[in-house]
Amino acid sequence: MYDEMIFGWFGAKAKVMPLKEQLISKALPTGKLPLDELLSRAEKAVPQGTLMQVRMPDKVERGTPEGAVEFRLSGSFDPGNGNVKVWLDQYSGKVVGKLDPRVNSGLMYQTWYLPLHTGSFGGLFTKILYAIGGLTPSILMFTGIYMWWYKKKNKNKRKQKIDSRAVA
């Protein structure tokens, strides 16, 4: 929500998606194609891509069109969750939508948002770095409390020494 508002200030979009009307499957009497056939067609649409995810369309109510199958493939500079998306008609196998960061410039933010947020883009080193960064506020809180307690304890000792000298 905030990212959409901020990007809107600059006349840009935070999310790029094909129109929902475009991402539908048109029923054919031959029936749906097998998933492996759809997969091979998706791989042809993204030649150097590696399959990362397959998302089947939601169940639809009677009278509404079925959605297309979404394939997420890893292309160049992919942080790990599939930055190239291809939608295929379940019946004909035709590509009905495709988003590629090399073609659609607005995808750069959308591609890196989750991996940067979770630290999943750089392997174990990045995850450890993110864990240390996440623990830093707690460490600072405990060291701050310790410093306050230590100064308070020493202040009381000095006060007692001054009081004992005044009495003697």
Side-chain angles (χ1 to χ4, degrees):
M1 181 171 145
Y2 293 113
D3 50 355
E4 290 175 13
M5 181 178 70
I6 292 169
F7 272 74
W9 293 342
F10 301 102
K13 291 184 177 179
K15 293 185 181 173
V16 178
M17 279 294 286
L19 298 172
K20 287 193 180 206
E21 297 82 32
Q22 182 181 345
L23 304 178
I24 59 169
S25 292
K26 295 180 179 124
L28 296 175
T30 55
K32 295 179 182 179
L33 291 173
L35 192 57
D36 58 341
E37 173 66 24
L38 292 173
L39 175 59
S40 68
R41 292 183 187 205
E43 288 174 336
K44 285 178 188 169
V46 184
Q48 280 85 31
T50 306
L51 182 68
M52 300 300 283
Q53 288 182 15
V54 177
R55 293 186 172 197
M56 300 303 289
D58 294 333
K59 298 281 183 194
V60 294
E61 295 177 17
R62 196 169 266 271
T64 58
E66 282 188 86
V69 179
E70 177 184 341
F71 292 89
R72 290 186 177 198
L73 296 110
S74 179
S76 60
F77 65 85
D78 181 18
N81 58 344
N83 64 345
V84 180
K85 298 176 186 177
V86 178
W87 288 268
L88 296 174
D89 185 310
Q90 299 179 60
Y91 295 92
S92 68
K94 180 181 150 206
V95 175
V96 293
K98 183 177 176 183
L99 291 177
D100 189 340
R102 291 173 292 201
V103 179
N104 310 89
S105 62
L107 280 175
M108 188 61 72
Y109 172 77
Q110 192 171 330
T111 300
W112 282 94
Y113 174 76
L114 182 67
L116 283 174
H117 184 75
T118 60
S120 62
F121 66 92
L124 184 61
F125 176 73
T126 309
K127 289 179 183 177
I128 291 170
L129 211 56
Y130 271 51
I132 291 169
L135 291 173
T136 301
S138 301
I139 293 167
L140 290 173
M141 179 189 74
F142 287 116
T143 57
I145 290 170
Y146 175 76
M147 289 171 64
W148 168 80
W149 174 78
Y150 186 76
K151 284 181 180 183
K152 185 176 178 182
K153 184 175 81 168
N154 285 343
K155 189 177 181 181
N156 288 342
K157 282 184 182 179
R158 278 185 293 204
K159 208 179 221 185
Q160 287 174 353
K161 281 183 182 180
I162 292 171
D163 289 344
S164 64
R165 286 184 199 161
V167 172

